Amino acid sequence: MSNDAEQALRRAEEHQRRVGFGDRAASIAVRAAERALAKARGEPYADTLDLGVRWSGGAPLPHVVSNGSRAILLCHAAAVDPDWDGTYVTVVSAADTTEDTFVEIVFEGCASIRFGAPNDEALGGHPLSGRGLDGYEAHVVHNSTWLEEHIRVNSVHEQHNEHGWRTLTHYFLVFHDEMFEALAGTIAARLVPGTMSSLLTHAAERLTLA
């Protein structure tokens, strides 16, 4: 099984080299082959997750508010400027007072989060690189070493229950300058209008009232 998966990955990579690394279909095929090989070997791998929304690839500016069981992430949604001719860029800031469209992602039953480096330019150095990890996407991590680490740590507790940990999912979100990961029960995303300041305030209020 592993040998077949290795050969399939080599064929996908060779095809990508022929058609060019900018070919999206070829890239998707390589990522699929990477996941199949990692799965066959019993290794961690990242599978893309369709949240039904897209965040900005240039300046999503993700912000997170969290307590011990819920995390809310807010970032700029992807937008298409029909007048864009490639000669200018739109600069955004978390302090902007003009309303925009944001992606709100809520993680329920959240046991742990990680937020920060690496950025997209260092994505190739991440352990999940070459195992299905894709830029500017949401993922579910299978065979998660992070989850296993938490289970080992918690196993010293006299009331440790491994089953509860096994119900958690390792979510991995790739942004431009940051990564966000969560061990959580569920994830839900939607588009919301507002400013970053107002939405963060509302998110914090929801956490305190939960």
Side-chain angles (χ1 to χ4, degrees), residues 37-109:
L37 177 57
K39 183 177 182 180
R41 290 173 171 173
E43 298 173 341
Y45 64 96
D47 205 357
T48 52
L49 175 65
D50 183 5
L51 294 176
V53 296
R54 302 290 301 179
W55 50 79
S56 169
L61 303 179
H63 283 60
V64 178
V65 291
S66 178
N67 59 18
S69 62
R70 176 189 281 183
I72 301 175
L73 184 149
L74 290 157
C75 63
H76 281 274
V80 178
D81 183 351
D83 298 322
W84 191 68
D85 60 4
T87 62
Y88 65 92
V89 296
T90 301
V91 179
V92 297
S93 166
D96 288 343
T97 57
T98 302
E99 282 204 356
D100 200 352
T101 302
F102 290 81
V103 174
E104 178 193 81
I105 306 173
V106 180
F107 301 84
E108 300 283 2

Side-chain angles (χ1 to χ4, degrees), residues 140-160:
V140 169
V141 179
H142 301 277
N143 302 327
S144 168
T145 56
W146 187 32
L147 176 58
E148 296 301 325
E149 177 188 343
H150 273 279
I151 292 173
R152 287 195 302 272
V153 170
N154 199 68
S155 66
V156 303
H157 195 291
E158 61 181 13
Q159 296 181 350
H160 171 66

